[in-house]
Structures are given as C-alpha cells and as structure tokens.
C-alpha cells in the first residue's frame, strides 16, 4: 500500500481545507496491555487538543474497537469499546494492542480475519509491543522487518520465520507496517506517526505536553547496556553508574577494582560471575551505547564522539560497533539521525 500524506511535511495544521479527521481504530481484546491503547490514544488526542487550541480542526478521530463492548485490560481496568467496524468503513491507521492474552487472541479466527481484511483498507498498521503476534497471525509481518518486547522477540521469530525480527530497536517502520517494542515504546512509535502526519514541530509539542523524551529514535536500544549487565543482581549497579559518568577516563581493571573497593583478582572474578562478561567488554558496551546516543542526537564529528566516549580514536570505536552492532558508526548515524528520528538535536 502506498503512502500519500494528507498534509504538507512541515505543516502542523490538522485539516487546513476542511478535510475530515483521519480515522484511527485502536484494537483491544480481553487481557490487553492498558498502555498499548492509552499511550498511543493520548498522543493522538494531545495533537488534536493542540490544534484546537490554535483554532484549527482536529487531525484524528479516535475510537477503541473490539469484539466485546466491555474489554478488560490485564491491569484490571475495563474499557468501553465500539463494535468492530465494517471492513469497508474508512480507516487511516489501525493500532493493534498487545498484552499477555495476545496468544489467546490469535486463536480467535474471527478477530484475525477482521485484522486481515481491515489491514487491506487502512493506510498503515501499527502493532504495539506483543500486538506483533496478532499482526503476524494476520500475515502482516511476512517479508517485513519487525520488533516486539525484547522478551518475546525469539518467540516472534520462531512463530513467523518469514519475518526479520530485530530485538534491539524501540520501533520499526517497514512500508505501511509499524511495530514497537514493549509498553511505553508505543508512545515513541505514535509520536513518529504524528511527526510523519503533522510535522516535527507538532510531535515535539505533544512530547513536551506529555513530559516524555523529545528524542527516542527507533533505533535506540530497548534497554540500557547497564541494565543488561545486571543479570539479576545489583551488586555492581553503583559501579556501572560511575562508569557511565566517566566513560572518557581510563577504565582499566585496576581503576574499576579500586572504585568497587576490591582487589583486582577478586573484582575480575566476581564481576564476571555477576554480569557474564569481563570488565573490558562491559566498558566497551557502555561506550558503544553512549556513542549511539551522540551519533543520533548530535552532529558531532566521529573523532570527537570517539574521544568523548573513551574510545581514543575512530578505529577503536569502529571495531566496537562491529562487535556489538555489526555496523559502523557512520552507517548507524545515516540510519538513525536527523530526519530519521524525532527531535534530533544539533551540537552547540
């Protein structure tokens, strides 16, 4: 399905010529994840309010749809939903929620058939978190790149082998299909949809109103390197915080052991037991993570980024990116900076 924007790229006007608001259907099912519906819905609703405050027409018509009139979320709150609309009824954006019960939802042949049919008439489909499983059951992931909650990526790849599942990004756009990582990543995805529809200025205004990150590119990792290093223990949490604040320093084993208040031998043994990696590899992970942020958020030269992150030189940074991300710093920047990401900042 081709994408033909209704608005000029830099416009933040909802319907400048009296055009009807874009119809957005948010699909829920019993046991859905509440934020998978509430997060995207609030982003769209905030865009409408900002437009109306400026004397313009709303850009979106929002409704929660489901097979049931009352839909209980896994968190316990029950939402009132409208019946599944006729397939022929206009729909600009179909948002599919996820949740613990999604694996029961994919067994509902009637629901899956509706998603299949509705996706052929919608301009775009967005599957939030494990909503990707429902999209996959409808055949929407075949031949596509997709992401879901990091804990479900392996299962998604197993269930839908024709899909290129990527476990790291916060959200992915592949043609008219958008998928996001877990829970709050649906907000990032929806901000990107608003940016595509109404321009970056509006997306940033919504982000400011909701007090969320002004900049979380789709390629940003679902979880931090420091969090991944914990492996169920917080023994070295303080050390990791200190490391992140001193990445441009010499983070040798003697330095880290002294900071942790341990002998070098004991530190190396216990650190590897706690994190699963040697200290040097952990330092490199943290440096790569910081470099990714600077590559996406700033226009700093690669040489300066390498120095700020403690790599010493561009070649060392390049080798680190190859080991951890199978790409180069320059390729990462080209993919995830500037116009590819919401709210990119330039260096001062």
């Amino acid at each position: 399905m081709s994408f033909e924007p209704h608005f000029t790229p830099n416009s933040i006007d909802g319907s400048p010529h009296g055009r009807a608001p874009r119809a957005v259907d948010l699909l829920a099912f019993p046991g859905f994840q509440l934020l998978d519906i509430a997060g995207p819905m609030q982003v769209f609703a905030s865009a409408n309010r900002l437009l109306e405050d400026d004397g313009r027409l709303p850009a979106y018509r929002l409704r929660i749809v489901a097979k049931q009139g009352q839909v209980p979320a896994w968190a316990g709150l029950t939402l009132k939903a409208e019946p599944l609309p006729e397939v022929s009824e206009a729909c600009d954006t179909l948002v599919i929620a996820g949740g613990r019960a999604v694996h029961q939802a994919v067994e509902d042949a009637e629901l899956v058939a509706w998603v299949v049919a509705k996706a052929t008439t919608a301009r775009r489909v967005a599957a939030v978190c494990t909503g990707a499983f429902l999209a996959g059951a409808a055949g929407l992931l075949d031949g596509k790149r997709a992401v879901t909650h990091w804990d479900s990526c392996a299962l998604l790849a197993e269930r839908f082998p024709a899909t290129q599942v990527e476990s790291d990004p916060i959200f992915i756009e592949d043609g008219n299909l958008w998928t996001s990582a877990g829970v709050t990543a649906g907000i990032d995805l929806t901000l990107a949809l608003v940016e595509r529809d109404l321009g970056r200025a509006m997306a940033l205004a919504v982000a400011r109103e909701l007090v969320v990150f002004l900049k979380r590119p789709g390629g940003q990792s679902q979880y931090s390197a420091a969090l991944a290093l914990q492996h169920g223990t917080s023994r070295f949490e303080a050390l990791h915080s200190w490391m992140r604040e001193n990445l441009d320093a010499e983070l040798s084993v003697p330095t880290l052991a002294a900071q942790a208040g341990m002998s070098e031998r004991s530190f190396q043994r216990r650190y590897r037991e706690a994190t699963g990696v040697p200290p040097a590899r952990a330092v490199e992970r943290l440096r790569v993570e910081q470099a990714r942020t600077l590559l996406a958020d700033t226009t700093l030269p690669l040489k300066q980024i390498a120095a700020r992150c403690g790599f010493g030189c561009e070649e060392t940074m390049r080798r680190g990116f190859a080991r951890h991300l199978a790409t180069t710093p320059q390729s990462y920047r080209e993919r995830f900076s500037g116009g590819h990401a919401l709210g990119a900042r330039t260096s001062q």
Side-chain angles (χ1 to χ4, degrees), residues 15-336:
S15 302
H17 303 298
R19 191 190 305 274
R22 297 168 181 252
V24 178
D25 288 340
L26 299 105
L27 177 63
F29 50 83
F32 73 96
Q33 168 64 254
L34 184 60
L35 276 178
D36 289 359
I37 291 289
M41 192 170 191
Q42 186 59 61
V43 171
F44 287 128
S46 292
N48 280 344
R49 192 189 69 78
L50 290 171
L51 288 167
E52 290 169 344
D53 286 351
D54 200 37
R56 286 173 274 187
L57 297 175
Y60 304 103
R61 177 181 60 78
L62 307 170
R63 63 181 174 181
I64 300 171
V65 301
K67 287 183 62 177
Q68 306 81 6
Q70 301 289 326
V71 193
W74 172 73
L77 182 66
T78 297
L79 297 184
K80 182 178 180 180
E82 297 184 30
L84 294 178
E86 294 295 328
V87 172
S88 59
E89 190 172 333
C91 175
D92 178 84
T93 304
L94 173 62
V95 178
I96 303 173
R100 288 194 170 191
V102 72
H103 301 295
Q104 285 73 52
V106 300
E107 298 299 324
D108 186 333
E110 182 182 352
L111 181 63
V112 172
W114 182 85
V115 173
V116 171
K118 199 63 178 176
T120 64
T121 60
R123 180 171 64 91
R124 61 191 176 193
V125 176
V128 180
C129 193
T130 53
F133 285 90
L134 189 47
L140 306 183
L141 302 187
D142 292 350
K144 299 283 190 176
R145 296 170 54 238
V147 66
T148 187
H149 189 283
W150 62 268
D151 196 38
S152 297
C153 284
L155 181 59
L156 187 70
E158 178 184 333
R159 292 271 182 89
F160 307 105
T163 305
Q164 183 182 333
V165 179
E166 300 182 16
S167 61
D168 207 36
I170 287 178
F171 65 83
I172 290 176
E173 175 192 7
D174 191 340
N176 72 323
L177 175 72
W178 296 66
T179 53
S180 83
V183 195
T184 59
I187 294 175
D188 299 285
L189 181 154
T190 313
L191 285 168
L193 296 179
V194 169
E195 179 181 8
R196 182 65 58 82
D197 294 341
L198 307 177
R200 181 171 297 175
M202 174 57 78
L204 292 176
V206 172
R208 281 192 295 269
E209 174 164 288
L210 299 182
V211 196
V212 296
F213 289 103
L214 295 185
K215 169 68 170 63
R216 287 225 301 176
Q220 182 173 314
S221 180
Q222 291 194 39
Y223 46 87
S224 71
L227 179 61
L229 290 170
Q230 291 305 326
H231 280 234
T233 176
S234 59
R235 179 184 183 92
F236 293 104
E237 184 176 347
L239 177 64
H240 290 146
S241 295
W242 180 85
M243 289 162 66
R244 291 198 304 273
E245 295 171 358
N246 295 276
L247 289 175
D248 59 346
E250 181 189 358
L251 299 183
S252 61
V253 168
T255 299
L256 297 177
Q259 183 65 26
M262 303 168 66
S263 69
E264 293 180 31
R265 183 176 179 181
S266 178
F267 170 72
Q268 291 193 80
R269 175 174 58 83
R270 294 186 180 181
Y271 188 87
R272 186 155 195 163
E273 289 175 353
T275 67
V277 298
R281 181 54 58 91
V283 170
E284 187 174 66
R285 282 187 183 181
L286 292 170
R287 284 175 169 157
V288 167
E289 180 178 69
Q290 177 63 15
R292 290 170 68 174
T293 299
L294 293 175
L295 286 165
D297 288 5
T298 77
T299 57
L300 290 172
L302 297 186
K303 182 177 181 180
Q304 194 169 344
I305 290 176
R308 283 195 180 191
C309 296
F311 286 109
C313 66
E314 291 182 50
E315 177 58 25
T316 303
M317 181 167 70
R318 187 193 65 78
R319 290 198 297 266
F321 268 66
R323 275 190 288 269
H324 294 278
L325 303 176
T327 189
T328 66
Q330 184 59 42
S331 294
Y332 186 89
R333 166 169 272 173
E334 289 171 356
R335 184 173 181 182
F336 296 119

